[in-house]
Amino acid sequence: MKITLITVFLIFQFIMAQETPLKLMPYPGQVNLKDGNFRLNEQFIVSTNGSINERLNFNTTRFLRRLSGRTGLFFPQDYITSKKPEQNAHLVINVARQGKLELGEDEAYEIVVSPENIKISAETDFGAKNALETLLQLLEADKDGYYFPAVEIKDKPRFKWRGLLIDAGRHFMPVDVIKRNLDGMSAVKMNVLHWHLSEDQGFRVESRVYPKLHELGSDGKYYTQEQIKDIVAYAAMLGIRVVPEFDVPGHVTSWLTAYPELASVPGPYSIERKFGVFVPALNPAQEFTYTFLDNFFGEMVTLFPDKFFHIGGDEVWRGDEHQDAHWNINKDIVAFKKQHNFKDNSALQNYFNQRVEKILEKYDRVMIGWDEILHDSMPENIVIQSWRGKEAMIKAAKRGVRSLLSNGYYIDLIYPAKDHYLNDPLPDDVDLTDDQKQMILGGEATMWAEYISPETIDSRVWPRTAAIAERFWSPGYIKDVNDMYRRLEYISYQLEELGLTHIKNPEMMMRRLLQNQSIAPLKTFTSVVEPLKGYQRGQKRIYTTFSPLTRVVDIATPDARVAREFNDSVDAFLLQPDKETAQKLEKQLNCWQENHKKLSELSLEAPAINEILPLSESLSKLAGQALVAVKILNSEDIHNTLKPDSELFQNARTSYGQVELAVVTSIEKLIKAASALK
Amino acid sequence: MKITLITVFLIFQFIMAQETPLKLMPYPGQVNLKDGNFRLNEQFIVSTNGSINERLNFNTTRFLRRLSGRTGLFFPQDYITSKKPEQNAHLVINVARQGKLELGEDEAYEIVVSPENIKISAETDFGAKNALETLLQLLEADKDGYYFPAVEIKDKPRFKWRGLLIDAGRHFMPVDVIKRNLDGMSAVKMNVLHWHLSEDQGFRVESRVYPKLHELGSDGKYYTQEQIKDIVAYAAMLGIRVVPEFDVPGHVTSWLTAYPELASVPGPYSIERKFGVFVPALNPAQEFTYTFLDNFFGEMVTLFPDKFFHIGGDEVWRGDEHQDAHWNINKDIVAFKKQHNFKDNSALQNYFNQRVEKILEKYDRVMIGWDEILHDSMPENIVIQSWRGKEAMIKAAKRGVRSLLSNGYYIDLIYPAKDHYLNDPLPDDVDLTDDQKQMILGGEATMWAEYISPETIDSRVWPRTAAIAERFWSPGYIKDVNDMYRRLEYISYQLEELGLTHIKNPEMMMRRLLQNQSIAPLKTFTSVVEPLKGYQRGQKRIYTTFSPLTRVVDIATPDARVAREFNDSVDAFLLQPDKETAQKLEKQLNCWQENHKKLSELSLEAPAINEILPLSESLSKLAGQALVAVKILNSEDIHNTLKPDSELFQNARTSYGQVELAVVTSIEKLIKAASALK
């Protein structure tokens, strides 16, 4: 019975994806398109009904302003502040009760659009907010004006925890950056901001109990308590929980800069400027450390009302093989381990974690940590965040410990959206019982900040995170990559209206780098290159926290769209050469062939782009050969022959300025296919 | 002697403007270009010397990061925090003393760039900050890399008060908007933010003494006291004084919404949603009003340390001919006037102003007000801000009262930069003695907020305000409009690196309006139209505070560059027709002729642009006729004749969607010239 239902859904979804032009993301669980449209005009009236509350009115007002902004229509209502329903409204929002901002709260909704009116119903105002976001994505237009297609939608999240981690430690991210990303999260129905607030490179929160933390540990770049409260309150309006992370006992150089007495070996320490895993660690063998954490966490829980509290716990330089590990150097710590019969530093960290967990329990908080903290002796009421693989997650679930998946969602590593999209926290073949599956709360995309600034963060987070949001929200069977990319393009520009800068900042950065010369040739180039993936960027050049993040590598974005489309066209062409695709390919290849000359000319006044000219030259040469290949394959130039130039491919695969071409393999396929024809 | 010196300078400046490619704005008083260049590399070291202080280090660090951002160079220094000079520095900054943030402080500087090193010297760190901004504008590049041309610059401001007014009352402007505009101001050496903080449409500051002001008067959109302090402190780091304006006794609907007992006639009042001059006014005849203002101003002076405090005083609906004027309705006020022998409401307002001035004096503040407050009985130690003309300013100066000029700098009215640029606070022919001239402190550009949002404000302020900044800073004889426009273009894109959105947001707005179709045709169109000037926009359509500011009129910017260049080309061509100019004109005209079809097609999915299609069609038709005209004038088509179509011109001069074409007159000139040839 169950299988049959799923099959029906699958077929239904398949039909939908093929036949409807809907641009929804995350795609709802049930979508039933009807005939007709609800047409918008300047008499459009909205009414909030049922359990009307401030948050519902806030989100409804916001919806109205965004709809007005897109359409240019002057609507009659200003702030929706009423406590009672409007008469004769065209959009009626019914909410049964005010939502509680806690894990597992009801976020489902229904929308019925008919030619006469629109009805939204939801158990909570969070559901209503989600419905309004879906409705904004439903907006269509024709020559007569704007409309919503008649449709019935029933929708609810697959996972309870749909998060984005923002690392404000390595590079500080000001309040407006956080807020606009919260807006983006809300637009794609994410519900947790995991805020990484302390790092070797900076301590980012004002502490009144231990003020040296922010005074000496932040270079003046920290959030005041008022700002924290403001952001937490803003997130709450959007149905987003804020989970703070204070990473201990490693990643603490900034803490030790302020309070060296916390350290495992004597200071002084200074704020770390480089990136990597560093040796400083809190001293787990002294009571002072726990008193400090007790007082400090006691202060922080007044700022962060969420039930969950993240203590990091990752990458402690503790390996017993490391002679420089501070826990092996400090004699008191060594004695402490012996006294407690800890067989290794891992056991010592486990002791530390248990102490910290007790403190958090006192403050009515559930401890979360990275997968290193999973240990048999830890209580079950913790949450594990898996970053090194899915193993810890599975292991935890089998023990009845809840977990989140972040492995596979490391958006800082510049992998394409489809990789993240196809990474399912609970794939069909997972070896877990239904009860154990309940332990998998969801997942989080992680925006680590080695190579991002406030100027570039959005172009790393968006639009890829929308695809991840769909993975966390939508039924698992919705996984058509092409359809995801089709919809992602619409969502991407819609996210701009929230102030997100992922499209506009790269263009600004090109103007800066080119000293305001025409950016077209650089745009052509950056649209087919990608920053180095994985951890390669830092291996090619040493970066510090104050290195410029304004170069071509920072302008280039993951998932280069033009490259993806070209690669798809090449595959189609190789399968079945046709004139139309040939022309499309030739147009593109001509553009690349000619681009190098233009870029070289620009470089005369913009030497900052010199570093990528070899790559631009390779692209030009590759394009030249590929043009011949297309002609051969398309039987237009049957007398020509082509011999693959392996040196050219090798050069084209070399990174320059920490970027790499994203079309070499396709071009190589073309050339090899052509040269294989005799 | 004096005249001779000025003549020498004039010639000198003329030569400079002609012979140097320098892109400085405001243009320095003395610039002496030398041979050679100082070439930048990754060993570049900066040293702060002399009276090293936190602000100097802040601005030096900022300089270093911006230089690194533009060039992609990795410099060795992180935060400049040292209290002592660096050895072997390439850029040495010498400061005699820490500046005091007060009117008339020394802001002068000298820069000497030689091939070996760069030396900056200044009396105060404000001067050094100005020097660093000039140095950033000096940056040049060639194929070998980045360099500063060898040069000697001596520079100081002409006026002491160089301000920008930002109206956060009519539309609230969040902290990040204010900060990035402060950055822009600093880049062009402005030194006063005049912050208009209360209006009929909103009261924007948290008051702890009278909390209903922000609670009931702001729709939740106000600055907290911490935010105010943060902004004031940030401005101080940039050498910018912050002068708050709380406009009384008119423009107070938001105050009265919170405290109707302040009003001249009984409430209740509600926050104004429309724009205009409104009747509500404080009751000047009751002591409560003065007690209230005393307490409130007493609170505000703790937030705003500047010596100057603006009380507005403009546009009180007080005319004795107005039967609805509240001061004529309230019997107590009428009796009060009689009792005090006030001959009219103007006298009553003067009484009010005197009482307010006494309060401010108690708090050691100098009162500023709009020109309405100038009255013989006011003490001399006030400052008048002239907005209705220069008369009040001149009159004040003759009385020994200081003043500022804002008339002619109303950037909300969308006039071209050149109009503001040529508006001199102290033109050569001004009828004032040298002593009286000292009373003219400077001026302020005013960014009133009826038709701006956080999304669009930057494109109204910038880049035009840079030209105004030059008027306030540079010697008066620097007034070559063409050279100003040449330099303005560079300054404009450089301002982007500060986060200003004047270039990137219009493009984003086009994507939104076109639903992400190709924006090129709309860009072509918006580059030759301008929003209606003066007060016409509000006359064509009724706007409220919640009307969308996302339409073509909001995308279009003042001073349409393409239009200006076209108009210049037409003038040149009519003076002396030549083939090259003809080709340039034809290319442009062809583009316009064909653009309408493209725009019409886009409108099928973007009906928000329907409103401007008639104008696009007129442009297309005009361009078609102008193409014939160019051929005739260029003697390529001597047999053709052309008859001006006055209906076409009339249509083309009609505004649609509150925008108008900026090229009609030029095209008309072309066509008329061609038709005059027989």
Side-chain angles (χ1 to χ4, degrees):
Chain A
M1 181 63 188
K2 206 170 175 186
I3 289 167
T4 319
L5 253 179
I6 288 174
T7 314
V8 168
F9 267 125
L10 270 169
I11 293 166
F12 177 78
Q13 286 298 335
F14 181 76
I15 292 168
M16 282 298 100
Q18 300 300 311
E19 293 195 352
T20 81
L22 298 182
K23 303 149 188 167
L24 308 176
M25 182 171 280
Y27 204 83
Q30 290 184 43
V31 179
N32 191 3
L33 258 186
K34 306 271 187 174
D35 287 335
N37 301 313
F38 174 88
R39 301 206 77 93
L40 262 179
N41 61 35
E42 296 201 330
Q43 282 72 54
F44 185 66
I45 294 284
V46 181
S47 177
T48 50
N49 292 25
S51 171
I52 300 175
N53 61 67
E54 190 199 352
R55 203 165 48 201
L56 177 62
N57 284 334
F58 169 85
N59 282 299
T60 307
T61 302
R62 208 174 137 84
F63 162 83
L64 208 52
R65 294 286 88 77
R66 284 164 66 193
L67 193 62
S68 174
R70 288 189 197 175
T71 60
L73 295 171
F74 286 48
F75 296 133
Q77 288 168 295
D78 53 2
Y79 292 86
I80 312 286
T81 52
S82 66
K83 296 272 189 306
K84 54 178 204 275
E86 290 277 340
Q87 295 306 307
N88 307 317
H90 306 94
L91 165 59
V92 176
I93 305 168
N94 249 300
V95 163
R97 62 175 172 84
Q98 180 160 11
K100 283 185 192 151
L101 195 61
E102 56 188 36
L103 183 68
E105 177 56 296
D106 192 317
E107 300 173 281
Y109 66 89
E110 295 186 23
I111 304 176
V112 179
V113 180
S114 75
E116 293 73 37
N117 57 40
I118 306 169
K119 288 180 185 161
I120 285 175
S121 43
E123 171 72 12
T124 70
D125 60 300
F126 297 136
K129 190 274 296 176
N130 289 329
L132 291 169
E133 292 292 350
T134 299
L135 197 54
L136 281 169
Q137 294 181 353
L138 278 170
L139 183 71
E140 298 283 341
D142 59 20
K143 68 179 170 42
D144 297 324
Y146 293 89
Y147 65 87
F148 297 108
V151 70
E152 284 176 17
I153 291 177
K154 283 192 188 184
D155 199 13
K156 63 170 200 274
R158 180 176 171 212
F159 291 104
K160 296 170 188 170
W161 189 303
R162 306 178 304 280
L164 170 65
L165 176 153
I166 295 182
D167 170 10
R170 290 176 175 85
H171 278 101
F172 182 65
M173 298 293 156
V175 171
D176 55 313
V177 174
I178 303 298
K179 283 193 172 178
R180 71 186 185 226
N181 277 284
L182 286 167
D183 290 336
M185 290 171 66
S186 171
V188 295
K189 305 184 174 63
M190 296 183 100
N191 66 0
V192 180
L193 170 66
H194 173 166
W195 205 356
H196 187 80
L197 287 163
S198 67
E199 256 308 332
D200 294 303
Q201 294 85 1
F203 190 96
R204 305 305 185 189
V205 177
E206 175 193 10
S207 169
R208 291 175 189 166
V209 177
Y210 294 111
K212 283 192 281 183
L213 283 171
H214 66 276
E215 286 168 6
L216 302 181
S218 76
D219 299 303
K221 292 180 175 174
Y222 62 90
Y223 306 102
T224 66
Q225 298 208 348
E226 180 178 297
Q227 288 173 330
I228 297 275
K229 286 178 190 167
D230 179 41
I231 286 174
V232 169
Y234 187 73
M237 292 301 260
L238 302 173
I240 296 173
R241 298 163 37 222
V242 178
V243 175
E245 177 181 352
F246 295 97
D247 202 346
V248 286
H251 290 277
V252 290
T253 310
S254 64
W255 307 54
L256 306 184
T257 303
Y259 295 93
E261 55 271 42
L262 286 167
S264 294
V265 307
Y269 291 83
S270 62
I271 297 174
E272 185 57 56
R273 302 297 182 203
K274 297 201 185 73
F275 300 115
V277 178
F278 299 98
V279 292
L282 298 183
N283 183 342
Q286 63 177 3
E287 278 310 301
F288 172 68
T289 300
Y290 301 104
T291 310
F292 188 100
L293 290 176
D294 193 341
N295 292 336
F296 174 66
F297 288 165
E299 182 184 19
M300 290 301 108
V301 295
T302 66
L303 302 177
F304 297 99
D306 199 72
K307 183 88 177 171
F308 296 83
F309 198 101
H310 207 300
I311 60 107
D314 58 315
E315 297 184 323
V316 183
W317 194 254
R318 68 182 185 192
D320 300 279
E321 74 284 9
H322 296 136
Q323 289 197 356
D324 61 343
H326 287 190
W327 292 355
N328 299 337
I329 292 174
N330 180 322
K331 291 203 175 106
D332 292 342
I333 296 177
V334 172
F336 186 84
K337 283 187 280 189
K338 199 165 179 185
Q339 176 196 337
H340 284 75
N341 284 321
F342 295 147
K343 70 175 199 306
D344 54 17
N345 284 336
S346 169
L348 178 60
Q349 188 180 351
N350 188 49
Y351 164 83
F352 172 85
N353 291 340
Q354 287 178 317
R355 294 286 307 263
V356 170
E357 198 277 332
K358 283 271 175 291
I359 293 169
L360 289 175
E361 213 173 281
K362 189 175 77 178
Y363 293 119
D364 196 24
R365 291 297 185 276
V366 174
M367 181 167 104
I368 316 185
W370 299 101
D371 50 36
E372 284 98 325
I373 75 159
L374 184 62
H375 193 280
D376 289 342
S377 61
M378 289 299 287
E380 281 176 15
N381 186 32
I382 61 169
V383 177
I384 298 298
Q385 185 162 12
S386 276
W387 73 282
R388 295 180 298 182
K390 286 185 184 171
E391 299 72 27
M393 190 179 88
I394 303 290
K395 197 173 149 192
K398 290 188 173 175
R399 248 199 71 201
V401 170
R402 292 176 296 177
S403 65
L404 301 171
L405 184 64
S406 273
N407 177 267
Y409 303 122
Y410 265 44
I411 51 178
D412 60 313
L413 302 185
I414 314 289
Y415 293 110
K418 71 164 186 280
D419 290 14
H420 305 306
Y421 187 63
L422 295 177
N423 180 43
D424 198 313
L426 275 179
D428 292 341
D429 59 355
V430 71
D431 172 30
L432 291 176
T433 67
D434 281 356
D435 279 353
Q436 288 167 346
K437 284 181 184 172
Q438 294 299 315
M439 297 293 110
I440 315 295
L441 300 176
E444 286 186 357
T446 53
M447 184 69 264
W448 298 110
E450 280 89 346
Y451 306 117
I452 55 167
S453 70
E455 205 167 78
T456 62
I457 178 174
D458 297 0
S459 78
R460 273 52 183 146
V461 176
W462 306 105
R464 287 181 305 159
T465 295
I468 299 174
E470 176 157 299
R471 179 55 46 238
F472 296 155
W473 174 281
S474 303
Y477 54 76
I478 296 180
K479 54 185 177 189
D480 178 319
V481 167
N482 287 332
D483 194 58
M484 178 274 286
Y485 276 121
R486 177 185 71 81
R487 290 177 288 123
L488 194 60
E489 200 171 324
Y490 291 102
I491 299 309
S492 184
Y493 88 84
Q494 285 172 11
L495 288 167
E496 280 201 282
E497 82 187 357
L498 302 167
L500 288 164
T501 63
H502 54 302
I503 302 175
K504 62 192 183 183
N505 272 10
E507 299 205 352
M508 176 276 281
M509 294 167 74
M510 290 190 232
R511 286 190 286 272
R512 175 172 52 201
L513 220 51
L514 296 180
Q515 306 239 48
N516 208 29
Q517 301 176 90
S518 164
I519 65 170
L522 187 53
K523 211 167 164 178
T524 297
F525 180 76
T526 54
S527 70
V528 290
V529 297
E530 293 175 352
L532 281 175
K533 294 174 190 58
Y535 295 98
Q536 296 176 76
R537 181 170 177 175
Q539 288 155 4
K540 292 281 177 184
R541 180 154 196 179
I542 293 173
Y543 282 81
T544 63
T545 52
F546 54 91
S547 298
L549 296 171
T550 58
R551 293 152 58 234
V552 172
V553 59
D554 305 294
I555 295 169
T557 56
D559 234 340
R561 185 172 64 83
V562 173
R564 183 162 38 76
E565 289 173 357
F566 176 80
N567 296 341
D568 288 349
S569 297
V570 167
D571 287 344
F573 183 71
L574 289 175
L575 219 63
Q576 178 70 55
D578 71 294
K579 208 166 180 71
E580 199 184 331
T581 311
Q583 281 173 352
K584 197 172 145 191
L585 290 175
E586 282 168 355
K587 190 179 166 195
Q588 184 64 76
L589 291 165
N590 270 316
C591 166
W592 292 339
Q593 190 179 28
E594 289 158 19
N595 196 60
H596 179 58
K597 188 164 170 285
K598 297 177 193 167
L599 212 50
S600 301
E601 279 163 15
L602 293 178
S603 74
L604 299 180
E605 289 183 42
I609 65 167
N610 285 348
E611 60 178 355
I612 54 80
L613 290 181
L615 211 51
S616 162
E617 191 178 5
S618 287
L619 176 65
S620 173
K621 286 182 182 167
L622 280 181
Q625 291 215 3
L627 278 166
V628 178
V630 169
K631 283 215 187 313
I632 293 174
L633 290 166
N634 206 27
S635 314
E636 288 176 42
D637 194 3
I638 47 171
H639 300 300
N640 209 340
T641 56
L642 201 55
K643 193 168 166 292
D645 176 350
S646 64
E647 197 183 337
L648 176 57
F649 293 130
Q650 199 181 326
N651 280 344
R653 284 207 167 84
T654 309
S655 72
Y656 287 88
Q658 298 101 67
V659 299
E660 57 187 357
L661 283 170
V663 291
V664 181
T665 301
S666 290
I667 293 181
E668 190 175 13
K669 278 193 235 170
L670 275 179
I671 293 171
K672 288 195 168 161
S675 66
L677 295 178
K678 289 291 164 189
Chain B
M1 182 61 189
K2 204 170 176 185
I3 288 167
T4 319
L5 252 179
I6 288 174
T7 313
V8 169
F9 267 125
L10 270 169
I11 293 166
F12 176 78
Q13 286 298 335
F14 181 78
I15 292 168
M16 282 296 101
Q18 300 300 312
E19 293 195 351
T20 82
L22 298 182
K23 303 150 188 168
L24 308 176
M25 182 171 280
Y27 205 83
Q30 291 183 45
V31 179
N32 192 2
L33 258 186
K34 305 271 187 178
D35 288 336
N37 301 314
F38 174 88
R39 301 206 77 95
L40 263 179
N41 61 34
E42 296 202 330
Q43 282 71 53
F44 186 65
I45 293 283
V46 180
S47 176
T48 50
N49 293 26
S51 170
I52 300 176
N53 61 68
E54 189 198 352
R55 204 163 48 201
L56 177 62
N57 284 335
F58 168 86
N59 283 299
T60 306
T61 302
R62 209 172 136 83
F63 161 84
L64 207 52
R65 293 288 86 78
R66 283 164 67 193
L67 193 62
S68 173
R70 287 188 198 176
T71 60
L73 294 171
F74 286 47
F75 297 133
Q77 289 169 294
D78 53 1
Y79 292 86
I80 311 286
T81 52
S82 65
K83 296 272 190 307
K84 54 178 204 272
E86 290 279 340
Q87 296 304 309
N88 306 317
H90 306 95
L91 165 59
V92 176
I93 305 168
N94 248 300
V95 163
R97 62 176 173 83
Q98 181 161 9
K100 285 184 192 152
L101 194 61
E102 55 187 37
L103 184 69
E105 176 57 293
D106 192 319
E107 299 173 281
Y109 68 89
E110 294 185 23
I111 304 175
V112 179
V113 180
S114 76
E116 293 73 38
N117 57 38
I118 306 170
K119 288 179 184 162
I120 286 175
S121 43
E123 171 72 13
T124 70
D125 59 301
F126 298 135
K129 189 274 295 176
N130 288 329
L132 291 168
E133 292 291 351
T134 299
L135 197 54
L136 281 169
Q137 294 181 353
L138 278 170
L139 183 71
E140 298 281 343
D142 59 19
K143 67 178 171 43
D144 297 323
Y146 293 89
Y147 65 88
F148 297 106
V151 70
E152 286 176 17
I153 292 177
K154 284 192 186 184
D155 199 14
K156 64 172 200 275
R158 179 176 172 212
F159 292 105
K160 297 169 188 170
W161 189 302
R162 306 177 304 281
L164 170 65
L165 175 151
I166 294 181
D167 170 9
R170 290 175 176 84
H171 278 101
F172 182 64
M173 297 293 156
V175 171
D176 55 313
V177 173
I178 304 297
K179 283 193 172 176
R180 70 187 186 226
N181 277 283
L182 286 167
D183 291 335
M185 290 170 65
S186 173
V188 296
K189 305 184 174 64
M190 295 182 100
N191 65 0
V192 180
L193 170 66
H194 172 165
W195 205 358
H196 187 80
L197 286 164
S198 66
E199 256 307 334
D200 294 303
Q201 294 83 3
F203 191 94
R204 305 304 185 191
V205 178
E206 175 193 10
S207 170
R208 291 174 189 167
V209 178
Y210 295 111
K212 284 192 281 183
L213 284 172
H214 66 276
E215 287 168 6
L216 302 181
S218 77
D219 299 304
K221 293 180 175 174
Y222 62 89
Y223 305 102
T224 65
Q225 297 207 349
E226 179 178 297
Q227 288 174 330
I228 297 276
K229 286 177 189 165
D230 178 42
I231 286 174
V232 168
Y234 187 74
M237 292 301 262
L238 302 173
I240 297 173
R241 298 163 38 223
V242 177
V243 175
E245 178 181 351
F246 296 97
D247 202 346
V248 286
H251 291 277
V252 290
T253 310
S254 63
W255 307 53
L256 305 184
T257 303
Y259 295 94
E261 55 269 42
L262 285 168
S264 295
V265 306
Y269 292 81
S270 62
I271 298 174
E272 185 58 57
R273 302 296 181 204
K274 297 202 185 72
F275 301 115
V277 179
F278 299 98
V279 292
L282 298 183
N283 184 343
Q286 63 177 4
E287 277 311 300
F288 172 68
T289 301
Y290 301 103
T291 311
F292 187 100
L293 290 176
D294 193 340
N295 292 337
F296 175 67
F297 288 164
E299 182 185 19
M300 290 301 108
V301 296
T302 65
L303 301 177
F304 297 99
D306 199 71
K307 183 87 177 171
F308 296 84
F309 199 100
H310 207 299
I311 59 107
D314 58 315
E315 297 184 323
V316 182
W317 193 254
R318 68 184 186 191
D320 300 280
E321 74 284 10
H322 296 135
Q323 288 196 357
D324 62 343
H326 287 188
W327 291 355
N328 298 337
I329 292 173
N330 180 322
K331 292 207 174 100
D332 292 343
I333 296 177
V334 172
F336 186 84
K337 283 188 278 187
K338 200 165 176 184
Q339 176 197 338
H340 284 76
N341 282 322
F342 296 146
K343 72 174 196 305
D344 55 17
N345 284 336
S346 170
L348 178 60
Q349 188 181 352
N350 188 51
Y351 164 83
F352 172 84
N353 290 339
Q354 286 177 317
R355 292 287 305 265
V356 171
E357 198 278 333
K358 282 270 174 294
I359 293 169
L360 289 175
E361 213 172 283
K362 189 175 77 179
Y363 294 118
D364 195 27
R365 291 297 185 275
V366 175
M367 182 167 104
I368 317 185
W370 298 99
D371 49 34
E372 284 98 326
I373 75 158
L374 185 62
H375 193 281
D376 289 342
S377 62
M378 288 301 287
E380 281 178 13
N381 186 33
I382 61 169
V383 176
I384 297 297
Q385 185 162 12
S386 276
W387 73 282
R388 294 180 298 183
K390 287 185 182 169
E391 300 71 28
M393 190 181 87
I394 303 291
K395 199 172 148 192
K398 290 188 172 174
R399 250 198 71 199
V401 171
R402 294 176 294 178
S403 65
L404 302 171
L405 185 63
S406 272
N407 178 266
Y409 303 122
Y410 266 45
I411 50 178
D412 60 314
L413 302 184
I414 313 289
Y415 293 110
K418 72 164 186 279
D419 290 15
H420 304 307
Y421 187 63
L422 295 176
N423 179 44
D424 197 312
L426 276 178
D428 293 341
D429 59 356
V430 72
D431 172 30
L432 291 176
T433 67
D434 280 356
D435 279 353
Q436 288 167 345
K437 284 180 184 171
Q438 294 299 315
M439 297 293 110
I440 315 294
L441 300 176
E444 286 185 359
T446 53
M447 185 69 265
W448 299 109
E450 280 89 346
Y451 307 117
I452 54 168
S453 70
E455 204 167 79
T456 63
I457 178 173
D458 297 359
S459 78
R460 274 50 185 149
V461 176
W462 307 105
R464 287 180 304 159
T465 295
I468 299 175
E470 175 157 300
R471 180 53 49 238
F472 296 155
W473 174 281
S474 303
Y477 53 77
I478 296 180
K479 55 184 178 189
D480 179 321
V481 167
N482 287 333
D483 195 58
M484 178 275 287
Y485 276 121
R486 177 185 70 83
R487 290 177 287 124
L488 194 59
E489 200 171 325
Y490 291 102
I491 298 309
S492 184
Y493 89 84
Q494 285 171 10
L495 288 167
E496 280 200 282
E497 82 187 356
L498 301 167
L500 288 164
T501 63
H502 54 301
I503 301 174
K504 63 191 182 184
N505 272 10
E507 299 205 350
M508 178 276 282
M509 294 167 74
M510 289 190 233
R511 286 189 286 271
R512 175 170 54 199
L513 220 51
L514 296 180
Q515 306 238 48
N516 207 29
Q517 301 175 89
S518 162
I519 65 169
L522 187 54
K523 211 167 166 180
T524 296
F525 180 76
T526 54
S527 70
V528 289
V529 297
E530 292 175 352
L532 281 174
K533 293 175 190 59
Y535 295 98
Q536 296 176 77
R537 180 169 177 177
Q539 289 155 3
K540 293 280 178 186
R541 180 152 197 181
I542 293 174
Y543 282 81
T544 63
T545 51
F546 54 91
S547 300
L549 296 170
T550 57
R551 293 152 57 233
V552 172
V553 59
D554 303 294
I555 294 168
T557 56
D559 235 341
R561 185 173 64 84
V562 173
R564 182 163 38 76
E565 289 173 357
F566 176 80
N567 297 340
D568 288 349
S569 296
V570 167
D571 287 345
F573 183 70
L574 288 175
L575 219 63
Q576 179 69 54
D578 71 294
K579 206 165 182 75
E580 198 184 331
T581 312
Q583 281 173 351
K584 196 171 147 193
L585 291 175
E586 282 168 354
K587 190 179 168 197
Q588 184 64 77
L589 291 164
N590 270 317
C591 166
W592 292 339
Q593 191 180 26
E594 290 158 18
N595 197 60
H596 179 59
K597 189 165 167 285
K598 296 177 193 167
L599 213 49
S600 301
E601 279 162 16
L602 294 178
S603 74
L604 300 181
E605 289 183 41
I609 65 168
N610 284 348
E611 60 178 354
I612 53 80
L613 290 181
L615 212 52
S616 163
E617 190 177 6
S618 288
L619 177 64
S620 173
K621 287 182 181 168
L622 281 180
Q625 291 215 3
L627 278 166
V628 178
V630 170
K631 284 218 184 312
I632 293 173
L633 291 165
N634 206 27
S635 313
E636 286 177 43
D637 194 4
I638 48 171
H639 301 300
N640 209 339
T641 57
L642 201 56
K643 196 167 163 293
D645 176 350
S646 63
E647 200 183 336
L648 175 58
F649 294 130
Q650 199 180 326
N651 281 342
R653 284 207 167 86
T654 309
S655 72
Y656 288 89
Q658 297 101 68
V659 299
E660 57 187 356
L661 283 170
V663 292
V664 181
T665 302
S666 290
I667 293 182
E668 190 174 16
K669 278 194 234 168
L670 275 178
I671 293 171
K672 287 196 168 160
S675 66
L677 293 178
K678 290 291 166 191

